[in-house]
């Protein structure tokens, strides 16, 4: 198992999270973290693109690790993880972009 997989399992154990919840939290952390770090409004697409990039890199790493141990790939699971990671950032982006909900 790779260091990446070990770290994910440690997070799941320490925080008592499911794998799905971990994806949701990572997506939100990347989304809000990117917006804060670069002082971008939540209606800007770039924080969503950062989440997409993080999700794709994470899933590519998962696919690589799965191949490395010779386990069968379940690509539907990878798409499920990408969907879980992106759902709330995209929902918040859409609310910020198309409604006045996040305006001062």
């Amino acid at each position: 198992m790779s260091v990446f997989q070990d770290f994910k399992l440690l997070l799941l154990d320490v925080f008592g999270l499911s794998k799905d919840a971990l994806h949701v939290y990572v997506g939100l952390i990347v989304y809000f973290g990117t917006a804060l770090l670069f002082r971008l409004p939540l209606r800007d697409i770039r924080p969503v693109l950062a989440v997409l990039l993080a999700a794709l890199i994470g899933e590519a790493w998962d696919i690589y690790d799965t191949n490395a141990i010779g386990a069968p790939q379940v690509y539907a699971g990878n798409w499920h993880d990408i969907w879980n990671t992106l759902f709330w950032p995209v929902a918040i982006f859409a609310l910020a972009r198309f409604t006045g909900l996040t305006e001062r």
Side-chain angles (χ1 to χ4, degrees):
M1 204 174 300
S2 74
V3 172
F4 178 62
Q5 299 301 327
D6 288 339
F7 181 68
K8 287 190 333 186
L9 292 174
L10 176 69
L11 288 176
L12 295 174
D13 187 47
V14 167
F15 293 107
L17 297 173
S18 69
K19 289 181 180 181
D20 285 342
L22 182 64
H23 282 274
V24 170
Y25 290 137
V26 166
L28 289 170
I29 289 167
V30 171
Y31 179 68
F32 287 121
T34 301
L36 284 171
L37 182 65
F38 296 105
R39 298 175 189 248
L40 299 170
L42 297 179
R43 67 182 177 276
D44 193 306
I45 191 69
R46 290 174 287 183
V48 173
L49 295 176
V51 175
L52 176 61
L53 182 63
L56 292 174
I57 289 170
E59 290 311 306
W61 201 337
D62 282 347
I63 290 168
Y64 176 82
D65 285 344
T66 301
N67 281 337
I69 63 170
Q73 289 291 344
V74 182
Y75 293 112
N78 298 107
W79 285 115
H80 175 84
D81 291 346
I82 292 168
W83 166 255
N84 265 344
T85 307
L86 281 166
F87 180 81
W88 284 112
V90 169
I92 295 165
F93 162 76
L95 285 171
R97 181 82 169 211
F98 302 113
T99 72
L101 197 61
T102 61
E103 298 296 318
R104 293 181 186 186

